[in-house]
Amino acid sequence: MQTWTQTLSARARENWRDAFASAAAACIAWVVSFRLFGHTTPLFAAITAIICLAPALPSRGQQAVGLLIGVATGIVVGELALLLPPMEPLLRMGLATFVALLIASLFGLAPVVPIQAGISTVLLLSFGAEKAGVARMQDVVVGASVGLMFSQVLMTPNPVRLIDVAAKSLLQRLSKGFAQAEAAISDRDRAKAEAATTLFTEAQSSLINLNSGINRARSLVRWTLRGRFVALQVREMAALYDRRAIRLYASALLFAESLEEALRTSSAPPPDGLRDRVAHVARLAAALAKDLDAARNDTFEASLPVAVPHGWEPCLDNLHAAEAALAALIAIRDR
């Protein structure tokens, strides 16, 4: 169980780069807008850069594009609202804001689009077209451009590495679980079997990270230049791990639980060869995490007796499922 200090420390490590990039981009956008357009206080340029790069955004490229679309929609609607016949200013603002939000929502894009459309309309009708119209659009273009430069080029993570690191973490943790299970079989120790089950259960966090890494990599492929360069590799890796990783994890966990049950209820000793096969699976998972060639060239086989002692059948079935899942990963990665 993490303490609050560990939680805060982990969040700081996760987000400090994005926070630094946002701050740096805001300063750069301010300077660019001042130099390019002569805006003495280009607040919207700096604000836009921050909105595009703030920590925890799922897609910074999508955020930047959506922001541009939203601001442009709001400014156009606000300009058109100024052409309406004279009316109560508050009524004009309410009507124009409603139209801007409605139009922006029709695009079916991220929430930032209607939000920025509504804000732009309110600002334009409040401060006038000179301050909140073209000038704001110029600042937003600068801020979004700087944000895109950071997100697309300077700070884009490697999509392939996102998947690879998460997959290796899962395989390494599963390898430790199988190694613990081997010790449980060797000593016929239920406590060690329970420890193996715990290790497999804790590996679920790595499985979740792998799924998150796959989703993040797919988003980067769609919304970043760096992602497009490795799109084919990302698709192949995502297809490799998307379901097979779940199958491998599930079979490993079921194996550990059935091993516990067999040690608890069966008076018969573990089948001959079971310990060697479990050790092989542990070694194979570790090899696959480090070196595909080592995993591919591992041809070890441990035979099992034809007659399996009573109570050990589920354990062997689940182990076979784990072996099959690992073999499928190796075969597909070897293509």
Side-chain angles (χ1 to χ4, degrees):
M1 193 76 176
Q2 282 190 330
T3 65
W4 65 272
T5 53
Q6 291 174 324
T7 300
L8 292 178
S9 177
R11 290 174 182 172
R13 289 194 302 271
E14 181 181 354
N15 294 316
W16 77 266
R17 291 181 179 82
D18 292 339
F20 178 80
S22 298
C27 295
I28 294 171
W30 182 292
V31 173
V32 171
S33 184
F34 173 76
R35 301 268 185 173
L36 195 60
F37 302 115
H39 297 170
T40 56
T41 312
L43 291 173
F44 293 120
I47 291 171
T48 298
I50 293 172
I51 293 174
C52 292
L53 296 171
L57 285 174
S59 172
R60 291 172 176 82
Q62 186 178 13
Q63 181 86 343
V65 173
L67 191 145
L68 285 171
I69 294 173
V71 170
T73 301
I75 289 175
V76 170
V77 172
E79 293 278 7
L80 292 175
L82 293 175
L83 302 178
L84 294 174
M87 65 178 68
E88 179 68 29
L90 196 57
L91 177 61
R92 186 192 303 270
M93 180 182 295
L95 179 62
T97 303
F98 168 75
V99 173
L101 288 167
L102 182 60
I103 292 175
S105 67
L106 297 178
F107 299 145
L109 300 175
V112 70
V113 179
I115 290 171
Q116 288 298 322
I119 291 173
S120 297
T121 301
V122 170
L123 288 173
L124 188 142
L125 294 178
S126 299
F127 298 107
E130 276 191 25
K131 292 184 178 180
V134 175
R136 180 168 186 259
M137 191 66 203
Q138 290 172 337
D139 278 353
V140 168
V141 169
V142 169
S145 299
V146 173
L148 284 170
M149 176 60 69
F150 271 78
S151 66
Q152 299 291 301
V153 180
L154 300 179
M155 57 173 286
T156 303
N158 185 340
V160 173
R161 180 170 171 76
L162 285 175
I163 300 176
D164 192 49
V165 169
K168 286 181 177 179
S169 173
L170 175 63
L171 289 167
Q172 288 167 352
R173 296 182 78 168
L174 293 180
S175 175
K176 291 179 181 178
F178 280 112
Q180 182 66 32
E182 178 200 355
I185 295 170
S186 179
D187 299 337
R188 299 188 66 179
D189 189 330
R190 280 181 54 198
K192 291 182 178 180
E194 291 173 359
T197 302
T198 300
L199 287 173
F200 286 128
T201 302
E202 292 173 348
Q204 184 182 19
S205 61
S206 294
L207 179 64
I208 293 172
N209 288 338
L210 175 57
N211 289 331
S212 298
I214 290 172
N215 292 332
R216 179 85 189 281
R218 285 170 171 164
S219 178
L220 289 170
V221 165
R222 183 178 180 185
W223 291 102
T224 69
L225 293 176
R226 185 176 187 178
R228 291 184 183 277
F229 289 139
V230 292
L232 179 60
Q233 193 174 356
V234 168
R235 282 196 293 269
E236 290 176 349
M237 293 185 71
L240 171 64
Y241 290 113
D242 210 358
R243 295 182 182 177
R244 292 175 183 85
I246 297 175
R247 189 178 302 123
L248 174 60
Y249 170 78
S251 59
L253 182 59
L254 289 172
F255 162 73
E257 291 176 346
S258 59
L259 175 61
E260 272 190 69
E261 182 68 13
L263 289 173
R264 184 178 66 84
T265 61
S266 179
S267 58
D272 293 335
L274 176 62
R275 184 182 67 83
D276 291 336
R277 281 182 63 173
V278 173
H280 175 240
V281 172
R283 186 171 67 249
L284 198 61
L288 185 58
K290 294 179 180 179
D291 182 8
L292 174 61
D293 289 333
R296 182 179 57 239
N297 296 328
D298 190 335
T299 57
F300 171 86
E301 289 187 8
S303 59
L304 290 170
V306 176
V308 178
H310 177 69
W312 289 92
E313 296 89 345
C315 184
L316 291 174
D317 290 342
N318 290 318
L319 178 62
H320 178 71
E323 289 174 328
L326 272 173
L329 284 176
I330 294 170
I332 295 175
R333 281 188 60 177
D334 197 28
R335 291 178 183 174

